[in-house]
Amino acid sequence: MGIAADIVIIVLVGLAGAYLANLVKQPLILGYILAGVLIGPYMGVIPVSDIHDIEMLAEIGVALLLFALGLEFSFSELRSVRNIALFGTPIQMILTILYGYFIGQMFGWDWKTSLWLGALISLSSTMVVLKTLMSRGLLGTLSSRVMIGMLIVQDLAIVPLMIILPQLNDIKAGLPVLGFAFLKAAIFLILIIFLGTKLIPAMMKYIMRWNSREFFLLTITALGLGVGYGTHLFGLSFALGAFVVGMVLSESDYGYQALSDIIPLRDIFGLLFFTSVGMLLDVSFLISHIKIIVILILLVIFGKGLIFASISRLFGYGNIIPLAVALGLFQVGEFSFVLARVGLNTNSIDTELYSLLLTTAIVTMFITPFLSGLARSFYRLKKYLPQRELLETLNIPETGLKDHIVIAGGGEVGGNLARIMQRLDLKYVIVELDHHRVEQAKKEGFAIIYGDAAQPVVLEAARIRDARLLIITTPSAVISGSIVDHVRTINKNLSIVARAINREHMQALHEKGVYEVVQPDFEVSLELIRQVLIHLNTPLRKINDFADIVHKELYAPLYNSEQHYSTIAKLKSVSRGLDLRWFNVPEDSHFIGKSIGRLHVRGETGVSIVAIIRDDQFFPNPETDFVFQKTDLVGVIGEYGQLEKFKNYMAISSSNPSLA
């Protein structure tokens, strides 16, 4: 079967490796690399027949990785930590490259190999760091914002490094080539950005009219790979073109959809890439060079960690942040593999350096969760500053949070709740993990905490112990269940209102002690049915009776086991049985010039007049001596039959002989 059989082997062994990585709570890429080692030429447990073809497919994986990186890139991500991200990261990379050069010289390597080593270890792992921060519930902390900002700039730096480093092979000939490469890159960037921002949005708008997700995916894939191939023909990096077109797409209205659609494709080709990385690892070489490998790993951990800590201090970050950043970003990243492959393909580095780098990267990635978890313990030993790092909070009242409402989720539902609570002058705070939603909430002046509501440290920052109510807006059953579990360990008696996606989710929340559950899809469908029946002139009483029956069928477990919910449900049923309607007083109505008491409205019709609007004046609960005028708008409440009686009673003309 040739390459088809090789791909099948890679996917199956990659799946096994990913499963093992997941068992030990490590990034899946480590499992892919392990799979590559097993099927590579040096181990040959399950040999692949044509490594060269796999490497060619892996190039597509690199392009898709950078295409997705371009789609994810946003300057708004760097806004809150822009100084250390935009200026501190280049300083960190330069210092790390010099440090790597020093290590290479210490090992007796030539200057070119030493510089390559420095460049390769200057990059950290976005995948590993994000996974570690999420698993420990620290994505809302200031140190996490610093780390993410620096990682974004590091990932962007891979593009110029891929252009510059291969030219070191012949420095004299390389300088003109390098200058010409940058000139071509500049021309290409200007051309693709200028044309792309004009043509791509128009093309995507046309494509979206087809309403075909398959065609949309095909289009964005063709754009990423097609422009990448164009840059290759232009004499530049294939991956550079994919990255640039990703950036252009990210600024359009279709960036988020493009990213969500391309990620599965990126991950499949990413499997091929990281597997091909592992194929080049010579295990016998590593065993024979174990001493230098251990030394290199230790030098990277301590040296790189010290550089990150120093940069953090230099840019004014104190407390635990320098230590957290140092223990979070010391590892060698996945984009170092991309750069190393470029070095191998251009004969800039040999397999010895490649194997050393690969081992260093794998080991440092593997131990990152363990070392980063020690940051708080090490910091406490200093007893110099408070032990806990505060999460990033925005617009929190000066009086603090007490007797407030916590909204878990700041999306459209959470935002609407916050707006209503602001109008009602209620104290609240939103907990949201998505950075874009946090920025939007910040613009609207919402009180918000950037963090994961499923983590105890974030719930404590939201003062869940002192809250009067928790509203969970997320539709995810796993997330909402986790939030409820952690909340119950902190505040057992807190009332919780949660959103459920289906009957099973509702039942699961109920079993966790949540009895106020809303199922949006069900409520929408029920309201649509109500509107249909109203349009068909069905009596309101019948509509409300039908709605009550359907509600009871869905929420039966809650009705049966929670007295409080049952009482609320009965009140809702009664209130739905009484309809508030507004009627204009007809010009010739016998109401004009007469008082409510004289007309005996309640005795004649059974309704209650609850409000009257006259011009711009509003009269709530008018007294019996209130006299009607022909411009009045009358609000009455009652059952369907009573409302019909009132309508007919008001319509009686003042010239009717029966009134004489």
Side-chain angles (χ1 to χ4, degrees), residues 79-343:
R79 196 167 295 152
S80 61
V81 291
R82 58 184 176 274
N83 289 334
I84 190 170
L86 296 176
F87 302 108
T89 306
I91 296 174
Q92 170 265 317
M93 294 190 68
I94 292 171
L95 290 177
T96 308
I97 290 172
L98 293 175
Y99 178 65
Y101 178 83
F102 168 76
I103 294 175
Q105 294 295 293
M106 184 179 69
F107 288 155
W109 298 341
D110 62 79
W111 68 270
K112 185 181 71 173
T113 303
S114 300
L115 277 178
W116 268 93
L117 174 66
L120 292 169
I121 68 172
S122 67
L123 302 171
S124 302
S125 174
T126 303
M127 294 182 183
V128 172
V129 172
L130 285 177
K131 180 179 176 63
T132 302
L133 290 172
M134 291 180 66
S135 65
R136 297 180 58 229
L138 296 176
L139 269 181
T141 61
L142 184 55
S143 62
S144 73
R145 299 294 296 276
V146 171
M147 285 188 267
I148 292 171
M150 298 185 80
L151 285 167
I152 291 173
V153 176
Q154 279 189 3
D155 290 346
L156 295 176
I158 185 67
V159 176
L161 287 176
M162 290 169 66
I163 297 174
I164 296 171
L165 289 175
Q167 306 306 322
L168 297 178
N169 290 339
D170 188 348
I171 195 67
K172 291 183 179 180
L175 285 176
V177 173
L178 184 60
F180 185 58
F182 271 109
L183 178 62
K184 287 196 297 183
I187 295 173
F188 166 75
L189 285 173
I190 294 172
L191 185 66
I192 194 64
I193 291 175
F194 176 75
L195 293 178
T197 52
K198 302 292 184 183
L199 297 178
I200 291 178
M203 183 181 71
M204 296 306 299
K205 185 177 181 180
Y206 176 77
I207 295 299
M208 291 299 289
R209 293 177 182 175
W210 292 49
N211 198 28
S212 170
R213 187 165 185 175
E214 182 180 357
F215 196 53
F216 180 81
L217 174 60
L218 180 61
T219 302
I220 60 174
T221 305
L223 275 174
L225 298 181
V227 174
Y229 184 65
T231 58
H232 171 70
L233 296 178
F234 199 64
L236 295 172
S237 167
F238 179 41
L240 173 62
F243 171 74
V244 173
V245 78
M247 282 187 61
V248 173
L249 263 176
S250 72
E251 297 301 321
S252 72
D253 296 333
Y254 314 103
Y256 289 116
Q257 184 62 42
L259 179 62
S260 65
D261 283 355
I262 203 68
I263 282 177
L265 189 62
R266 178 203 68 181
D267 290 343
I268 290 297
F269 278 94
L271 162 64
L272 295 176
F273 169 71
F274 287 112
T275 304
S276 69
V277 167
M279 287 180 182
L280 296 176
L281 180 63
D282 186 350
V283 177
S284 61
F285 168 83
L286 298 179
I287 295 174
S288 62
H289 292 74
I290 189 66
K291 182 177 179 181
I292 190 174
I293 290 171
V294 172
I295 293 173
L296 180 59
I297 291 171
L298 292 176
L299 287 173
V300 168
I301 293 174
F302 288 104
K304 196 173 175 183
L306 180 61
I307 290 172
F308 274 110
S310 301
I311 294 294
S312 300
R313 291 292 298 172
L314 179 65
F315 280 82
Y317 292 97
N319 295 355
I320 195 176
I321 296 174
L323 187 59
V325 173
L327 293 176
L329 298 180
F330 68 85
Q331 75 288 131
V332 179
E334 58 274 356
F335 276 109
S336 296
F337 300 143
V338 176
L339 191 57
R341 286 295 298 271
V342 172

Side-chain angles (χ1 to χ4, degrees), residues 396-412:
I396 301 298
E398 294 182 1
T399 55
L401 296 172
K402 187 173 179 63
D403 200 28
H404 58 291
I405 299 170
V406 178
I407 305 172
E412 185 174 352

